[in-house]
Amino acid sequence: MQFLFVVYLRLTNVQAFFYGSNMKISNADVNRLADKFGTPLYVYDENKLADNMAAYINNFQSQNFKTEVLYASKAFSCVEMVKLVKNCGLSLDVVSGGELYVAQKAGFDMSKVYFHGNNKSAQEIDYALSVGVGTIIIDNFQELQLIDKLAKEKNAVVKVLFRLNIGVDAHTHKYISTTLFESKFGMMPNGREFKDCLVFITNTKNIVFDGLHCHIGSQVFETNAYKLAIDKMVAVLKQFDKPLTLNIGGGFGVRYTSEDKPVPIAEMCKTLTDYTEQALANNRLKINKLLIEPGRSIVGEAGSTVYTIGFTKKIPTKTFYFVDGGMTDNIRPALYQAKYDCDVVDKGNEKTQKVTVAGKCCESGDLLVEDILLQEAQSGDRLIVYTTGAYGYSMSSNYNKATTPAVVFVKDGKAREVVRRQSYADLVSNDVDGDYYEFL
Ligand SMILES: *Cc1c(COP(=O)(O)O)cnc(C)c1O
């Protein structure tokens, strides 16, 4: 008989439990998943993914205007994920021809695809127009001119939103309203470039001006930063006489460690719709539709990475647990000093060892979690890092010729592979012994 006591492993993120001594994700045994699919392994709780999307759809609602939730697919994109997004009724953000291709392979309704990016190539724009992408978010005047030229050639009509740089910088726990406008993204609301765009669209039949977009940053906890962004966007909307679409971006924070206190999805949605309604009323303004584009907050906490511990090493100042992955499957600690929480799988709750979890790459900076209290571990034990669902797999690399891990979706005790592990053969599949051609 199984032990009956259940201990919450984490407080806010109900993704893994101890049942007796076995750790489970959506009731599937983590160690058995690792045995079957190998490590490192990205494990997503499929119910959690669907619940997060349902929370957005059900709570991002207004009586005063239409609403739409876009999943920012750069956070985690594969065919099965995009199919799930489709089934949950969200629209999709893509930022490259590659992400658009995944959407196409998943059979996503192209009219519900939004194409972002500050430097889309002619080939990518052509591709988007050919498959009937619904909306392109314009970053700059040159892009607008290029899209118009390509749309004319194809006799295509495409909706556009203009991305504005409103000087709200919320890339950290604190937000700042700057007057520097240093970001590479978007156009200044009072600048020449945006004015040129507005004049240009009055003289073309191939582009339909649908509204404005902003995105203030990522891993944002401060609702006040979004309120400030809404105020600034509403102020810009005042100059237009028809009700437009307003897209206020994504970036809603998630819980990586106990220091992170994210606003629950439902509450964030309600705050944003309420505040927008109020800001519009105060300005006697109407919009047609309000959009948000969450990425991380849909997939982040739904995903974990399971590793196998190899060697452990003690030096005078530190103890290392070496795992069979690292910066190749999770670049965020090396890239932004991102913090994570982790556990040794099935070793109970007694954390007596202060350790640093390090990867296997030839970089001193290849550390996944530094100076964390963990259970005592031996070679062969599994280690799980939580909240790796966003920007983990999507930022993975083949550095040191690491093969990218498999991705599994787990649901009610069952698991299915949605991305297979790369093989060594995959690593050389693009290597060719090309002929010399003259380029004189
Ligand atoms: C990255 C990005 C998002 C999503 O950000 P998250 O932090 O993953 O929610 C949304 N919109 C734009 C324009 C982005 O670049």
Side-chain angles (χ1 to χ4, degrees):
M1 212 179 79
Q2 265 226 314
F3 269 39
L4 285 179
F5 71 91
V6 176
V7 181
Y8 268 101
L9 187 62
R10 316 182 64 208
L11 286 176
T12 57
N13 179 4
V14 193
Q15 61 174 194
F17 306 90
F18 288 128
Y19 284 95
S21 62
N22 285 355
M23 185 185 285
K24 310 231 177 187
I25 295 175
S26 190
N27 214 25
D29 186 295
V30 170
N31 252 321
R32 292 191 57 202
L33 289 171
D35 290 343
K36 167 73 182 166
F37 298 104
T39 56
L41 180 69
Y42 297 109
V43 182
Y44 284 84
D45 181 335
E46 197 172 342
N47 290 328
K48 180 102 185 155
L49 290 171
D51 288 350
N52 287 344
M53 287 191 269
Y56 272 113
I57 292 283
N58 295 335
N59 294 287
F60 193 66
Q61 300 272 357
S62 169
Q63 310 283 356
N64 301 2
F65 41 76
K66 288 185 268 183
T67 55
E68 197 172 330
V69 181
L70 289 47
Y71 169 59
S73 70
K74 73 175 194 272
F76 168 56
S77 169
C78 70
V79 171
E80 285 305 306
M81 180 63 205
V82 175
K83 282 186 189 168
L84 191 62
V85 173
K86 177 174 65 171
N87 293 339
C88 291
L90 282 76
S91 298
L92 197 73
D93 265 8
V94 301
V95 297
S96 69
E99 286 181 6
L100 179 55
Y101 182 74
V102 176
Q104 211 189 351
K105 285 283 153 188
F108 207 87
D109 177 355
M110 286 295 147
S111 71
K112 291 172 75 179
V113 172
Y114 290 74
F115 191 13
H116 275 281
N118 64 304
N119 191 26
K120 304 173 187 82
S121 69
Q123 183 249 325
E124 286 175 311
I125 293 166
D126 225 39
Y127 177 23
L129 294 173
S130 306
V131 298
V133 160
T135 308
I136 300 181
I137 289 91
I138 306 279
D139 179 82
N140 57 70
F141 185 46
Q142 289 178 7
E143 179 191 346
L144 180 65
Q145 292 170 292
L146 178 59
I147 291 173
D148 186 57
K149 174 174 164 278
L150 297 173
K152 280 193 166 60
E153 284 170 18
K154 288 195 144 45
N155 246 328
V157 177
V158 67
K159 271 193 296 189
V160 302
L161 301 178
F162 290 122
R163 178 165 185 166
L164 296 182
N165 174 1
I166 51 173
V168 179
D169 181 1
H171 272 94
T172 60
H173 285 241
K174 290 266 164 278
Y175 72 92
I176 42 172
S177 180
T178 69
T179 47
L180 289 173
F181 298 93
E182 277 190 324
S183 162
K184 74 170 181 172
F185 296 109
M187 298 174 270
M188 293 202 260
N190 299 318
R192 181 64 205 246
E193 188 145 22
F194 183 45
K195 288 205 178 71
D196 287 345
C197 287
L198 294 178
V199 172
F200 188 90
I201 42 134
T202 60
N203 295 314
T204 172
K205 291 195 164 43
N206 298 80
I207 291 179
V208 178
F209 169 50
D210 192 43
L212 304 176
H213 168 273
C214 69
H215 171 69
I216 58 171
S218 264
Q219 185 61 354
V220 181
F221 295 102
E222 312 234 9
T223 47
N224 281 342
Y226 290 102
K227 290 178 178 175
L228 179 60
I230 291 166
D231 284 337
K232 293 198 173 201
M233 294 299 278
V234 166
V236 183
L237 282 173
K238 275 190 192 171
Q239 65 188 286
F240 303 102
D241 47 19
K242 70 165 184 171
L244 293 171
T245 291
L246 174 59
N247 182 336
I248 51 174
F252 313 110
V254 300
R255 183 190 188 278
Y256 287 99
T257 71
S258 55
E259 281 166 28
D260 300 323
K261 308 266 188 287
V263 182
I265 290 172
E267 190 183 321
M268 179 59 88
C269 288
K270 205 160 160 28
T271 301
L272 295 177
T273 48
D274 285 355
Y275 193 82
T276 305
E277 285 172 7
Q278 193 192 315
L280 291 170
N282 292 346
N283 288 277
R284 296 165 195 279
L285 218 62
K286 277 190 166 34
I287 57 169
N288 177 37
K289 197 188 261 189
L290 185 68
L291 312 185
I292 46 170
E293 29 187 44
R296 181 193 314 268
S297 52
I298 287 174
V299 293
E301 292 183 33
S304 306
T305 311
V306 184
Y307 301 93
T308 302
I309 297 171
F311 304 119
T312 58
K313 180 186 277 183
K314 275 190 173 37
I315 59 173
T317 52
K318 267 186 190 313
T319 299
F320 290 105
Y321 287 179
F322 293 153
V323 295
D324 55 353
M327 63 191 288
T328 46
D329 57 77
N330 187 357
I331 189 72
R332 296 189 67 257
L335 194 58
Y336 334 105
Q337 288 76 51
K339 302 279 181 280
Y340 286 88
D341 209 355
C342 62
D343 270 297
V344 183
V345 176
D346 294 350
K347 287 291 160 122
N349 265 336
E350 214 174 306
K351 301 190 175 182
T352 54
Q353 311 293 308
K354 190 176 174 201
V355 301
T356 288
V357 179
K360 60 183 287 165
C361 290
C362 300
E363 298 285 335
S364 302
D366 180 22
L367 308 174
L368 287 174
V369 188
E370 282 187 81
D371 298 325
I372 186 173
L373 269 184
L374 278 185
Q375 300 89 339
E376 205 171 321
Q378 275 137 27
S379 179
D381 285 344
R382 264 60 185 253
L383 183 134
I384 183 168
V385 179
Y386 304 107
T387 318
T388 59
Y391 308 104
Y393 172 71
S394 68
M395 286 185 165
S396 64
S397 79
N398 289 131
Y399 178 54
N400 285 171
K401 286 283 185 263
T403 51
T404 52
V407 183
V408 294
F409 278 8
V410 175
K411 188 176 176 171
D412 307 327
K414 293 184 173 160
R416 62 186 178 116
E417 214 167 11
V418 295
V419 180
R420 68 165 172 78
R421 181 177 309 281
Q422 277 186 328
S423 65
Y424 286 154
D426 290 330
L427 293 177
V428 295
S429 63
N430 291 330
D431 295 10
V432 292
D433 176 17
D435 292 329
Y436 291 107
Y437 292 94
E438 273 186 8
F439 293 91
L440 295 172

